[in-house]
Amino acid sequence: MNVIMATPEAFPYAKTGGLADMAGTLAKELSKLKVQMLLFMPFYRTVKERFTPEKLDRSFEVEIGGQRISGELYRDGNTIFIGCDRFYDRPELYGTPSGDYPDNPQRFIFFSRAVFEAARLLDFKPDIIHCHDWQAGLIPLFLKMFYRKNVPFFAGAKSVLTIHNMGYQGIFTADVLPLTGLPAELFNPEGVEFYGKINFLKAGITGADMVTTVSPAYAAQIQTAEHGFGLDGVLLKCGGSLRGIINGIDYGVWDPARDGHITKAFNGKNFMEGKSACKKQLASACGFSDPEAPLVSFVGRLSYQKGVDLICAAAYDIASEGVNLLFLGKGDAVYQEELTALAERHNGRICVRIGYEEDLAHLIYAGSDIFLMPSRYEPCGLGQMISLRYGTPPVAADTGGLSDTVRNYLPMSGKGTGFLYEGDDPRSLKQSLWYALSIYKRADCWKRLVRNAMREDFSWKKPAALYKGLYHELTGL
Ligand code: ADP
Ligand code: GLC
Protein backbone atom coordinates (compact mmCIF):
# COMPACT_ATOMS: atom_id res chain seq x y z
CA MET A 1 0.00 0.00 0.00
CA ASN A 2 1.29 3.47 -0.95
CA VAL A 3 0.63 6.27 1.51
CA ILE A 4 1.39 9.97 1.22
CA MET A 5 1.61 11.83 4.50
CA ALA A 6 0.97 15.53 3.80
CA THR A 7 1.87 17.68 6.76
CA PRO A 8 2.95 21.27 7.43
CA GLU A 9 5.60 20.11 9.92
CA ALA A 10 7.45 16.94 10.91
CA PHE A 11 10.12 16.15 13.46
CA PRO A 12 13.13 16.34 13.18
CA TYR A 13 12.93 18.81 10.29
CA ALA A 14 10.56 21.53 11.46
CA LYS A 15 8.46 21.71 14.59
CA THR A 16 6.25 24.18 16.40
CA GLY A 17 4.35 21.59 18.45
CA GLY A 18 3.15 18.04 18.83
CA LEU A 19 1.89 17.77 15.24
CA ALA A 20 5.51 17.53 14.10
CA ASP A 21 6.24 14.68 16.50
CA MET A 22 3.06 12.90 15.55
CA ALA A 23 3.47 13.11 11.77
CA GLY A 24 7.20 12.35 11.80
CA THR A 25 6.92 9.37 14.10
CA LEU A 26 3.75 7.94 12.57
CA ALA A 27 5.41 7.96 9.14
CA LYS A 28 8.45 6.19 10.57
CA GLU A 29 6.37 3.59 12.43
CA LEU A 30 4.17 2.88 9.40
CA SER A 31 7.26 2.29 7.28
CA LYS A 32 8.30 -0.32 9.85
CA LEU A 33 4.90 -1.96 9.30
CA LYS A 34 5.75 -2.28 5.59
CA VAL A 35 3.59 0.59 4.41
CA GLN A 36 5.25 2.35 1.44
CA MET A 37 5.38 5.85 2.75
CA LEU A 38 6.40 9.27 1.50
CA LEU A 39 6.05 12.29 3.77
CA PHE A 40 5.57 15.67 2.04
CA MET A 41 6.25 18.95 3.80
CA PRO A 42 7.39 22.48 2.88
CA PHE A 43 11.09 23.22 2.52
CA TYR A 44 11.28 25.86 5.24
CA ARG A 45 14.34 27.94 6.05
CA THR A 46 14.90 25.96 9.25
CA VAL A 47 15.15 22.76 7.17
CA LYS A 48 17.50 24.43 4.69
CA GLU A 49 19.78 25.62 7.47
CA ARG A 50 20.04 22.35 9.37
CA PHE A 51 19.71 19.56 6.78
CA THR A 52 21.08 18.88 3.33
CA PRO A 53 18.47 16.94 1.40
CA GLU A 54 19.20 15.96 -2.19
CA LYS A 55 17.77 18.35 -4.77
CA LEU A 56 15.73 16.36 -7.28
CA ASP A 57 16.00 17.10 -10.94
CA ARG A 58 12.27 17.80 -11.23
CA SER A 59 10.37 21.03 -10.99
CA PHE A 60 6.74 22.01 -11.44
CA GLU A 61 4.44 24.99 -11.58
CA VAL A 62 1.23 25.76 -9.73
CA GLU A 63 -1.20 28.45 -10.82
CA ILE A 64 -2.57 30.62 -8.04
CA GLY A 65 -4.87 33.49 -9.00
CA GLY A 66 -3.55 33.63 -12.58
CA GLN A 67 0.08 33.60 -11.49
CA ARG A 68 2.30 30.65 -12.28
CA ILE A 69 4.52 29.84 -9.33
CA SER A 70 7.32 27.33 -9.67
CA GLY A 71 8.39 24.79 -7.12
CA GLU A 72 11.26 22.39 -6.57
CA LEU A 73 11.59 19.04 -4.89
CA TYR A 74 14.15 17.85 -2.37
CA ARG A 75 14.46 14.46 -0.79
CA ASP A 76 15.86 13.04 2.43
CA GLY A 77 15.01 9.35 2.76
CA ASN A 78 11.22 9.08 2.78
CA THR A 79 10.71 12.79 3.21
CA ILE A 80 9.96 14.97 0.19
CA PHE A 81 10.33 18.70 0.64
CA ILE A 82 8.30 21.10 -1.45
CA GLY A 83 10.59 24.02 -2.22
CA CYS A 84 9.42 27.52 -3.01
CA ASP A 85 11.57 30.22 -1.43
CA ARG A 86 9.09 33.06 -1.80
CA PHE A 87 6.73 31.12 0.48
CA TYR A 88 8.89 29.06 2.81
CA ASP A 89 12.27 30.76 3.16
CA ARG A 90 11.22 32.72 6.26
CA PRO A 91 12.31 32.86 9.89
CA GLU A 92 9.19 31.07 11.18
CA LEU A 93 6.78 28.43 9.91
CA TYR A 94 3.45 30.26 10.07
CA GLY A 95 4.05 33.72 11.51
CA THR A 96 5.77 35.78 14.18
CA PRO A 97 4.55 36.34 17.80
CA SER A 98 2.70 39.41 16.60
CA GLY A 99 0.68 37.59 13.94
CA ASP A 100 0.35 35.10 11.09
CA TYR A 101 1.98 35.64 7.70
CA PRO A 102 -0.70 37.37 5.61
CA ASP A 103 -0.10 35.12 2.60
CA ASN A 104 -0.67 31.89 4.55
CA PRO A 105 -3.59 31.00 2.23
CA GLN A 106 -1.31 31.19 -0.83
CA ARG A 107 1.48 29.32 1.00
CA PHE A 108 -0.74 26.38 1.80
CA ILE A 109 -2.77 26.38 -1.43
CA PHE A 110 0.60 26.05 -3.12
CA PHE A 111 1.64 23.23 -0.79
CA SER A 112 -1.64 21.35 -1.28
CA ARG A 113 -1.47 21.53 -5.06
CA ALA A 114 2.23 20.72 -5.04
CA VAL A 115 1.59 17.42 -3.26
CA PHE A 116 -0.35 16.18 -6.30
CA GLU A 117 2.27 17.51 -8.72
CA ALA A 118 5.08 15.91 -6.76
CA ALA A 119 3.35 12.53 -6.47
CA ARG A 120 3.07 12.40 -10.24
CA LEU A 121 6.62 13.57 -10.86
CA LEU A 122 7.90 10.91 -8.48
CA ASP A 123 5.55 8.33 -9.99
CA PHE A 124 4.28 7.49 -6.51
CA LYS A 125 0.64 6.50 -6.99
CA PRO A 126 -1.05 6.86 -3.60
CA ASP A 127 -3.71 4.56 -2.20
CA ILE A 128 -4.07 6.93 0.73
CA ILE A 129 -3.28 10.61 1.15
CA HIS A 130 -3.16 11.28 4.87
CA CYS A 131 -3.46 15.02 5.55
CA HIS A 132 -2.80 16.91 8.75
CA ASP A 133 -4.57 20.04 9.98
CA TRP A 134 -5.89 23.04 8.06
CA GLN A 135 -2.65 23.61 6.17
CA ALA A 136 -3.31 20.36 4.27
CA GLY A 137 -7.10 20.66 4.51
CA LEU A 138 -7.64 21.54 0.86
CA ILE A 139 -6.05 18.30 -0.32
CA PRO A 140 -9.03 16.00 0.43
CA LEU A 141 -11.37 18.42 -1.34
CA PHE A 142 -9.02 18.81 -4.34
CA LEU A 143 -8.92 15.02 -4.56
CA LYS A 144 -12.69 14.66 -4.34
CA MET A 145 -13.61 17.54 -6.66
CA PHE A 146 -10.89 17.25 -9.26
CA TYR A 147 -8.02 14.77 -9.17
CA ARG A 148 -9.93 11.52 -8.55
CA LYS A 149 -12.31 12.24 -11.44
CA ASN A 150 -9.96 13.86 -13.93
CA VAL A 151 -6.51 12.42 -13.37
CA PRO A 152 -6.37 8.62 -13.72
CA PHE A 153 -3.19 8.54 -11.63
CA PHE A 154 -5.29 9.47 -8.56
CA ALA A 155 -8.43 7.50 -9.46
CA GLY A 156 -7.91 4.95 -6.69
CA ALA A 157 -6.74 7.33 -3.96
CA LYS A 158 -8.63 7.84 -0.70
CA SER A 159 -8.03 10.61 1.81
CA VAL A 160 -7.73 10.77 5.57
CA LEU A 161 -7.74 14.07 7.46
CA THR A 162 -6.32 14.15 10.97
CA ILE A 163 -7.40 17.12 13.06
CA HIS A 164 -4.83 18.04 15.68
CA ASN A 165 -6.50 21.17 16.97
CA MET A 166 -9.92 22.68 16.29
CA GLY A 167 -8.61 26.02 17.50
CA TYR A 168 -6.70 26.51 14.23
CA GLN A 169 -8.90 26.20 11.16
CA GLY A 170 -7.33 28.35 8.46
CA ILE A 171 -10.18 30.85 8.09
CA PHE A 172 -9.67 33.50 5.40
CA THR A 173 -11.66 36.17 3.62
CA ALA A 174 -13.92 35.05 0.77
CA ASP A 175 -11.59 36.42 -1.92
CA VAL A 176 -9.26 33.50 -1.19
CA LEU A 177 -11.75 31.05 -2.74
CA PRO A 178 -10.84 31.80 -6.38
CA LEU A 179 -7.16 31.37 -5.50
CA THR A 180 -7.82 27.78 -4.49
CA GLY A 181 -9.23 26.96 -7.91
CA LEU A 182 -12.32 25.43 -6.27
CA PRO A 183 -15.68 26.18 -7.90
CA ALA A 184 -17.79 29.08 -6.61
CA GLU A 185 -20.71 26.69 -5.89
CA LEU A 186 -18.76 25.40 -2.91
CA PHE A 187 -19.17 28.74 -1.18
CA ASN A 188 -22.16 27.66 0.87
CA PRO A 189 -22.63 26.25 4.38
CA GLU A 190 -22.54 22.66 3.06
CA GLY A 191 -19.21 23.41 1.38
CA VAL A 192 -16.27 25.54 2.48
CA GLU A 193 -18.11 28.68 3.56
CA PHE A 194 -17.90 29.59 7.24
CA TYR A 195 -19.72 32.73 8.38
CA GLY A 196 -18.98 34.53 5.14
CA LYS A 197 -15.36 33.36 4.99
CA ILE A 198 -13.53 30.33 3.61
CA ASN A 199 -12.42 27.63 6.05
CA PHE A 200 -9.61 25.25 4.98
CA LEU A 201 -10.23 22.77 7.80
CA LYS A 202 -13.89 22.58 6.86
CA ALA A 203 -12.78 21.84 3.29
CA GLY A 204 -10.81 18.91 4.67
CA ILE A 205 -13.67 17.59 6.76
CA THR A 206 -16.17 17.75 3.92
CA GLY A 207 -13.72 16.35 1.37
CA ALA A 208 -12.08 13.54 3.34
CA ASP A 209 -13.09 9.90 3.15
CA MET A 210 -12.20 9.55 6.82
CA VAL A 211 -11.63 12.12 9.56
CA THR A 212 -9.63 11.33 12.64
CA THR A 213 -8.49 13.25 15.65
CA VAL A 214 -5.87 12.50 18.23
CA SER A 215 -7.79 11.03 21.15
CA PRO A 216 -11.17 9.35 21.68
CA ALA A 217 -12.17 11.93 24.31
CA TYR A 218 -11.43 14.82 21.95
CA ALA A 219 -13.32 13.07 19.13
CA ALA A 220 -16.41 13.17 21.34
CA GLN A 221 -15.76 16.73 22.58
CA ILE A 222 -15.42 18.32 19.13
CA GLN A 223 -18.94 17.24 18.27
CA THR A 224 -20.22 19.62 20.96
CA ALA A 225 -20.69 23.39 20.80
CA GLU A 226 -18.19 23.90 23.63
CA HIS A 227 -15.23 22.35 21.80
CA GLY A 228 -16.26 22.29 18.14
CA PHE A 229 -15.18 25.91 17.43
CA GLY A 230 -18.22 26.30 15.19
CA LEU A 231 -17.66 23.06 13.25
CA ASP A 232 -19.41 20.70 15.68
CA GLY A 233 -22.42 20.42 13.36
CA VAL A 234 -20.22 19.48 10.40
CA LEU A 235 -18.33 16.93 12.51
CA LEU A 236 -21.56 15.40 13.84
CA LYS A 237 -22.44 14.61 10.24
CA CYS A 238 -19.25 12.52 9.86
CA GLY A 239 -20.82 9.87 12.09
CA GLY A 240 -18.74 6.69 12.10
CA SER A 241 -16.10 8.18 9.86
CA LEU A 242 -14.81 10.35 12.72
CA ARG A 243 -12.36 8.39 14.83
CA GLY A 244 -10.18 9.23 17.81
CA ILE A 245 -6.76 7.58 17.94
CA ILE A 246 -4.44 8.55 20.74
CA ASN A 247 -0.88 9.50 19.70
CA GLY A 248 2.19 7.74 20.94
CA ILE A 249 5.58 9.24 21.69
CA ASP A 250 8.77 8.34 19.90
CA TYR A 251 10.54 5.95 22.27
CA GLY A 252 13.73 6.45 20.26
CA VAL A 253 13.74 10.13 21.25
CA TRP A 254 12.03 10.01 24.63
CA ASP A 255 13.72 7.38 26.73
CA PRO A 256 15.24 8.30 30.12
CA ALA A 257 17.42 5.20 29.97
CA ARG A 258 19.13 6.33 26.74
CA ASP A 259 18.74 10.07 26.60
CA GLY A 260 21.90 11.92 25.63
CA HIS A 261 20.41 15.26 26.72
CA ILE A 262 20.15 14.41 30.40
CA THR A 263 22.76 14.35 33.14
CA LYS A 264 22.25 10.78 34.31
CA ALA A 265 20.17 8.00 32.78
CA PHE A 266 17.47 6.24 34.79
CA ASN A 267 14.68 3.72 34.34
CA GLY A 268 11.40 2.64 35.90
CA LYS A 269 13.10 0.44 38.48
CA ASN A 270 15.97 2.69 39.38
CA PHE A 271 15.15 6.35 39.10
CA MET A 272 15.92 8.14 42.38
CA GLU A 273 19.57 8.90 41.71
CA GLY A 274 19.12 9.78 38.03
CA LYS A 275 16.19 12.08 38.62
CA SER A 276 17.89 13.84 41.48
CA ALA A 277 21.07 14.43 39.42
CA CYS A 278 18.93 15.93 36.63
CA LYS A 279 17.06 18.13 39.13
CA LYS A 280 20.34 19.38 40.57
CA GLN A 281 21.63 20.37 37.16
CA LEU A 282 18.35 22.04 36.29
CA ALA A 283 18.20 23.96 39.58
CA SER A 284 21.70 25.28 39.10
CA ALA A 285 21.04 26.25 35.44
CA CYS A 286 17.93 28.13 36.59
CA GLY A 287 19.60 29.84 39.54
CA PHE A 288 17.04 28.69 42.10
CA SER A 289 17.95 29.96 45.56
CA ASP A 290 16.51 26.84 47.20
CA PRO A 291 17.55 24.00 44.85
CA GLU A 292 16.03 21.25 47.01
CA ALA A 293 12.49 22.70 46.87
CA PRO A 294 9.83 20.83 44.85
CA LEU A 295 10.27 21.73 41.19
CA VAL A 296 7.11 22.28 39.16
CA SER A 297 7.53 22.87 35.42
CA PHE A 298 5.73 23.79 32.23
CA VAL A 299 6.95 23.18 28.68
CA GLY A 300 4.79 24.24 25.78
CA ARG A 301 3.38 26.76 23.39
CA LEU A 302 2.50 29.96 25.21
CA SER A 303 -1.14 30.23 24.20
CA TYR A 304 -4.61 30.58 25.68
CA GLN A 305 -5.24 26.88 24.93
CA LYS A 306 -2.46 25.84 27.27
CA GLY A 307 -3.83 27.86 30.23
CA VAL A 308 -0.59 29.84 30.61
CA ASP A 309 -2.60 32.72 32.09
CA LEU A 310 -3.95 30.35 34.77
CA ILE A 311 -0.43 29.47 35.91
CA CYS A 312 0.55 33.15 35.82
CA ALA A 313 -2.43 33.98 38.04
CA ALA A 314 -1.48 31.21 40.48
CA ALA A 315 2.29 31.74 40.32
CA TYR A 316 2.61 34.04 43.33
CA ASP A 317 0.71 31.62 45.61
CA ILE A 318 2.66 28.66 44.27
CA ALA A 319 6.00 30.36 44.82
CA SER A 320 4.89 31.44 48.31
CA GLU A 321 4.42 27.76 49.21
CA GLY A 322 8.15 27.26 48.75
CA VAL A 323 7.87 25.69 45.31
CA ASN A 324 10.24 26.41 42.42
CA LEU A 325 8.50 27.15 39.13
CA LEU A 326 10.12 26.69 35.73
CA PHE A 327 8.66 27.65 32.35
CA LEU A 328 10.02 26.85 28.91
CA GLY A 329 7.91 28.18 26.07
CA LYS A 330 7.45 30.36 23.07
CA GLY A 331 4.28 31.91 21.70
CA ASP A 332 1.93 34.84 22.13
CA ALA A 333 3.76 38.08 22.97
CA VAL A 334 1.40 38.86 25.84
CA TYR A 335 2.33 35.65 27.71
CA GLN A 336 6.02 36.01 26.93
CA GLU A 337 5.96 39.46 28.55
CA GLU A 338 3.87 38.40 31.54
CA LEU A 339 6.13 35.45 32.29
CA THR A 340 9.28 37.49 31.91
CA ALA A 341 7.91 40.03 34.38
CA LEU A 342 7.00 37.24 36.84
CA ALA A 343 10.52 35.84 36.72
CA GLU A 344 11.98 39.29 37.40
CA ARG A 345 9.66 39.77 40.39
CA HIS A 346 10.40 36.32 41.85
CA ASN A 347 14.03 35.92 40.96
CA GLY A 348 15.44 32.70 42.47
CA ARG A 349 11.97 31.10 42.74
CA ILE A 350 10.51 31.40 39.23
CA CYS A 351 12.63 30.79 36.16
CA VAL A 352 11.39 31.56 32.65
CA ARG A 353 13.08 30.57 29.40
CA ILE A 354 11.43 32.06 26.35
CA GLY A 355 12.34 30.11 23.25
CA TYR A 356 12.28 26.70 21.71
CA GLU A 357 14.96 24.52 23.29
CA GLU A 358 14.87 20.82 22.56
CA ASP A 359 17.79 19.93 24.88
CA LEU A 360 16.45 21.87 27.82
CA ALA A 361 13.00 20.31 27.35
CA HIS A 362 14.52 16.83 27.83
CA LEU A 363 16.23 17.93 31.04
CA ILE A 364 13.03 19.53 32.34
CA TYR A 365 10.96 16.39 31.75
CA ALA A 366 13.64 14.37 33.55
CA GLY A 367 14.60 16.68 36.40
CA SER A 368 11.27 18.16 37.50
CA ASP A 369 9.09 16.76 40.25
CA ILE A 370 5.72 17.75 38.81
CA PHE A 371 4.68 18.73 35.28
CA LEU A 372 1.88 21.26 34.80
CA MET A 373 -0.65 21.06 31.97
CA PRO A 374 -3.61 23.26 32.82
CA SER A 375 -4.92 23.20 29.23
CA ARG A 376 -8.34 24.67 28.51
CA TYR A 377 -8.65 21.96 25.90
CA GLU A 378 -6.13 19.38 24.73
CA PRO A 379 -6.69 17.25 21.64
CA CYS A 380 -4.03 14.75 22.72
CA GLY A 381 -1.06 16.36 24.42
CA LEU A 382 2.41 14.89 24.29
CA GLY A 383 3.90 16.77 27.24
CA GLN A 384 2.01 14.71 29.81
CA MET A 385 3.00 11.42 28.13
CA ILE A 386 6.65 12.43 27.97
CA SER A 387 6.63 13.62 31.59
CA LEU A 388 5.03 10.33 32.68
CA ARG A 389 7.72 8.39 30.84
CA TYR A 390 10.37 10.45 32.66
CA GLY A 391 8.76 9.86 36.06
CA THR A 392 7.43 13.38 36.45
CA PRO A 393 3.74 13.05 37.35
CA PRO A 394 1.51 15.65 35.71
CA VAL A 395 -1.04 17.93 37.32
CA ALA A 396 -3.38 18.31 34.37
CA ALA A 397 -6.83 19.50 33.38
CA ASP A 398 -9.34 16.72 32.92
CA THR A 399 -9.96 17.28 29.24
CA GLY A 400 -9.40 15.61 25.86
CA GLY A 401 -6.27 13.51 25.53
CA LEU A 402 -5.20 14.38 29.07
CA SER A 403 -8.26 12.49 30.39
CA ASP A 404 -7.36 9.56 28.13
CA THR A 405 -3.72 9.30 29.23
CA VAL A 406 -3.44 10.38 32.88
CA ARG A 407 -4.99 8.24 35.62
CA ASN A 408 -5.78 9.93 38.92
CA TYR A 409 -3.55 8.75 41.73
CA LEU A 410 -5.33 7.30 44.76
CA PRO A 411 -3.13 6.72 47.81
CA MET A 412 -5.58 4.13 49.17
CA SER A 413 -5.13 1.81 46.20
CA GLY A 414 -1.67 3.01 45.20
CA LYS A 415 -2.93 3.14 41.62
CA GLY A 416 -2.83 6.03 39.19
CA THR A 417 -0.20 8.09 37.41
CA GLY A 418 -0.94 11.77 38.05
CA PHE A 419 -3.51 14.34 39.07
CA LEU A 420 -6.48 15.42 36.97
CA TYR A 421 -8.71 18.30 37.94
CA GLU A 422 -11.83 19.94 36.56
CA GLY A 423 -12.42 23.63 35.93
CA ASP A 424 -10.38 26.21 34.05
CA ASP A 425 -9.58 28.63 36.85
CA PRO A 426 -6.43 29.22 38.91
CA ARG A 427 -8.14 27.97 42.08
CA SER A 428 -8.83 24.48 40.72
CA LEU A 429 -5.28 24.30 39.40
CA LYS A 430 -3.83 25.30 42.78
CA GLN A 431 -6.01 22.84 44.70
CA SER A 432 -4.86 19.99 42.52
CA LEU A 433 -1.25 21.09 42.90
CA TRP A 434 -1.56 21.32 46.71
CA TYR A 435 -2.93 17.80 46.71
CA ALA A 436 -0.07 16.57 44.52
CA LEU A 437 2.43 18.28 46.83
CA SER A 438 0.89 16.59 49.86
CA ILE A 439 1.52 13.23 48.18
CA TYR A 440 5.03 14.39 47.21
CA LYS A 441 5.81 14.78 50.91
CA ARG A 442 4.98 11.10 51.48
CA ALA A 443 8.10 9.56 49.95
CA ASP A 444 6.73 6.01 49.65
CA CYS A 445 3.52 7.08 47.96
CA TRP A 446 5.47 9.32 45.60
CA LYS A 447 7.88 6.54 44.65
CA ARG A 448 4.99 4.30 43.82
CA LEU A 449 3.33 7.01 41.77
CA VAL A 450 6.53 7.62 39.79
CA ARG A 451 6.92 3.90 39.20
CA ASN A 452 3.32 3.64 37.96
CA ALA A 453 3.87 6.62 35.66
CA MET A 454 7.01 5.17 34.13
CA ARG A 455 5.33 1.83 33.50
CA GLU A 456 2.64 3.21 31.19
CA ASP A 457 2.87 2.22 27.53
CA PHE A 458 2.88 5.25 25.25
CA SER A 459 4.77 3.64 22.40
CA TRP A 460 3.55 4.06 18.81
CA LYS A 461 2.99 0.32 18.35
CA LYS A 462 -0.74 0.31 18.94
CA PRO A 463 -1.66 3.65 17.32
CA ALA A 464 0.41 2.88 14.19
CA ALA A 465 -1.40 -0.45 13.81
CA LEU A 466 -4.74 1.35 14.20
CA TYR A 467 -3.88 3.81 11.41
CA LYS A 468 -2.75 0.95 9.18
CA GLY A 469 -6.04 -0.84 9.89
CA LEU A 470 -7.94 2.29 8.98
CA TYR A 471 -6.10 2.55 5.63
CA HIS A 472 -7.03 -1.08 4.89
CA GLU A 473 -10.64 -0.37 5.80
CA LEU A 474 -10.75 2.55 3.37
CA THR A 475 -8.97 0.95 0.45
CA GLY A 476 -10.04 -2.67 0.86
CA LEU A 477 -6.42 -3.65 0.14
P1 ADP B 1 0.93 21.17 21.11
O1 ADP B 1 1.13 20.35 19.92
O2 ADP B 1 -0.48 21.58 21.32
O3 ADP B 1 1.84 22.35 21.14
P2 ADP B 1 1.79 18.81 22.60
O4 ADP B 1 1.82 18.54 24.05
O5 ADP B 1 1.07 17.87 21.75
O6 ADP B 1 1.30 20.31 22.41
O7 ADP B 1 3.28 18.79 22.03
C1 ADP B 1 4.21 19.74 22.34
C2 ADP B 1 5.56 19.23 21.91
O8 ADP B 1 6.42 20.34 21.66
C3 ADP B 1 6.23 18.41 22.98
O9 ADP B 1 7.13 17.51 22.35
C4 ADP B 1 7.01 19.47 23.76
O10 ADP B 1 8.09 18.93 24.45
C5 ADP B 1 7.46 20.37 22.64
N1 ADP B 1 7.66 21.78 23.00
C6 ADP B 1 6.72 22.74 23.12
N2 ADP B 1 7.27 23.92 23.41
C7 ADP B 1 8.60 23.72 23.48
C8 ADP B 1 9.72 24.57 23.75
N3 ADP B 1 9.56 25.86 24.00
N4 ADP B 1 10.95 24.03 23.72
C9 ADP B 1 11.12 22.70 23.47
N5 ADP B 1 10.11 21.86 23.21
C10 ADP B 1 8.86 22.35 23.21
C1 GLC C 1 -1.97 19.63 18.55
C2 GLC C 1 -2.67 19.53 19.89
C3 GLC C 1 -2.03 18.56 20.84
C4 GLC C 1 -1.63 17.27 20.14
C5 GLC C 1 -0.77 17.58 18.93
C6 GLC C 1 -0.35 16.32 18.17
O1 GLC C 1 -1.06 20.61 18.43
O2 GLC C 1 -2.80 20.79 20.50
O3 GLC C 1 -2.94 18.27 21.89
O4 GLC C 1 -0.92 16.44 21.03
O5 GLC C 1 -1.47 18.39 18.05
O6 GLC C 1 -1.44 15.58 17.73
Side-chain angles (χ1 to χ4, degrees):
M1 186 182 334
N2 285 351
V3 176
I4 288 178
M5 194 73 85
T7 176
E9 51 185 271
F11 186 81
Y13 302 109
K15 166 168 164 176
T16 64
L19 159 61
D21 298 283
M22 189 279 187
T25 321
L26 176 59
K28 200 166 76 179
E29 295 291 321
L30 284 166
S31 302
K32 283 189 207 156
L33 296 179
K34 308 269 178 277
V35 172
Q36 301 302 314
M37 164 74 59
L38 283 184
L39 183 144
F40 289 68
M41 64 177 285
F43 192 41
Y44 299 110
R45 182 181 296 173
T46 178
V47 184
K48 247 185 182 178
E49 284 172 351
R50 295 176 306 124
F51 297 85
T52 44
E54 172 200 358
K55 184 164 193 263
L56 301 181
D57 185 21
R58 277 156 229 192
S59 58
F60 60 92
E61 282 191 341
V62 168
E63 196 212 293
I64 301 183
Q67 227 189 326
R68 299 201 67 81
I69 299 171
S70 56
E72 297 159 344
L73 298 177
Y74 298 80
R75 181 171 192 152
D76 184 19
N78 290 348
T79 304
I80 304 295
F81 298 98
I82 308 287
C84 179
D85 282 354
R86 65 192 275 183
F87 286 147
Y88 308 129
D89 187 16
R90 303 195 184 169
E92 303 286 343
L93 269 52
Y94 315 124
T96 60
S98 47
D100 289 345
Y101 293 132
D103 60 349
N104 272 347
Q106 288 86 342
R107 298 173 78 221
F108 291 101
I109 292 169
F110 181 84
F111 173 67
S112 302
R113 294 278 306 283
V115 166
F116 291 97
E117 298 301 323
R120 269 193 296 188
L121 285 172
L122 298 167
D123 199 22
F124 188 78
K125 196 187 263 188
D127 299 300
I128 294 282
I129 308 183
H130 188 160
C131 310
H132 297 267
D133 274 357
W134 72 263
Q135 293 91 333
L138 291 171
I139 294 174
L141 200 55
F142 286 160
L143 179 65
K144 181 175 165 182
M145 299 296 299
F146 180 74
Y147 287 96
R148 199 148 48 202
K149 289 184 210 152
N150 301 315
V151 185
F153 190 80
F154 296 107
K158 294 274 197 277
S159 64
V160 177
L161 172 76
T162 295
I163 301 174
H164 294 263
N165 197 327
M166 291 300 297
Y168 302 86
Q169 297 183 5
I171 301 171
F172 306 107
T173 47
D175 54 0
V176 164
L177 180 70
L179 305 183
T180 64
L182 287 167
E185 306 89 85
L186 282 180
F187 200 68
N188 67 64
E190 302 301 311
V192 298
E193 191 257 358
F194 187 72
Y195 299 100
K197 297 189 167 175
I198 172 173
N199 183 323
F200 282 21
L201 189 68
K202 190 175 176 190
I205 297 169
T206 53
D209 296 296
M210 175 82 77
V211 180
T212 73
T213 186
V214 286
S215 70
Y218 194 60
Q221 282 180 323
I222 59 180
Q223 299 179 58
T224 66
E226 191 190 348
H227 291 285
F229 284 86
L231 289 180
D232 36 301
V234 182
L235 287 162
L236 263 173
K237 283 194 204 141
C238 293
S241 68
L242 170 62
R243 310 276 172 89
I245 300 177
I246 200 94
N247 295 329
I249 51 175
D250 186 343
Y251 273 20
V253 174
W254 301 109
D255 180 0
R258 281 176 301 159
D259 188 330
H261 302 286
I262 67 176
T263 326
K264 191 170 165 54
F266 57 95
N267 60 45
K269 285 196 187 106
N270 209 334
F271 49 82
M272 297 291 285
E273 233 180 279
K275 278 192 76 69
S276 109
C278 294
K279 179 172 172 177
K280 211 167 163 187
Q281 191 191 344
L282 207 47
S284 107
C286 294
F288 289 129
S289 45
D290 175 10
E292 303 285 320
L295 175 52
V296 175
S297 301
F298 170 94
V299 176
R301 279 185 296 115
L302 303 179
S303 71
Y304 181 78
Q305 175 199 347
K306 301 291 176 185
V308 184
D309 53 317
L310 305 178
I311 320 185
C312 289
Y316 174 76
D317 289 349
I318 298 174
S320 307
E321 285 295 310
V323 169
N324 290 337
L325 261 178
L326 168 56
F327 294 83
L328 168 62
K330 185 175 164 186
D332 298 353
V334 50
Y335 299 124
Q336 297 193 166
E337 283 156 23
E338 197 170 343
L339 285 172
T340 309
L342 259 179
E344 276 164 15
R345 243 178 286 137
H346 302 279
N347 189 16
R349 205 33 112 184
I350 300 182
C351 173
V352 172
R353 293 285 277 265
I354 301 295
Y356 188 90
E357 293 187 55
E358 199 74 36
D359 298 4
L360 181 60
H362 281 252
L363 191 62
I364 295 178
Y365 287 116
S368 304
D369 294 307
I370 293 173
F371 191 73
L372 278 187
M373 248 173 121
S375 310
R376 288 202 162 77
Y377 70 92
E378 197 59 77
C380 176
L382 302 181
Q384 83 283 10
M385 293 196 263
I386 302 170
S387 74
L388 285 164
R389 182 148 171 77
Y390 281 72
T392 304
V395 166
D398 193 357
T399 185
L402 298 172
S403 316
D404 283 339
T405 51
V406 179
R407 293 183 294 119
N408 246 328
Y409 179 73
L410 285 177
M412 292 227 322
S413 64
K415 290 191 175 148
T417 57
F419 305 90
L420 288 173
Y421 68 89
E422 282 176 15
D424 56 0
D425 54 281
R427 205 168 139 255
S428 310
L429 162 64
K430 276 188 286 182
Q431 272 174 355
S432 184
L433 182 59
W434 300 158
Y435 183 69
L437 288 166
S438 75
I439 305 286
Y440 177 77
K441 286 189 191 127
R442 295 162 62 183
D444 280 356
C445 283
W446 195 258
K447 249 194 206 164
R448 181 141 188 198
L449 168 61
V450 171
R451 201 168 293 130
N452 293 349
M454 295 188 72
R455 265 201 208 129
E456 293 289 284
D457 179 7
F458 295 121
S459 73
W460 262 101
K461 228 172 153 182
K462 195 168 151 207
L466 287 172
Y467 279 106
K468 190 178 173 193
L470 195 141
Y471 299 160
H472 284 303
E473 189 183 323
L474 273 179
T475 57
L477 293 174

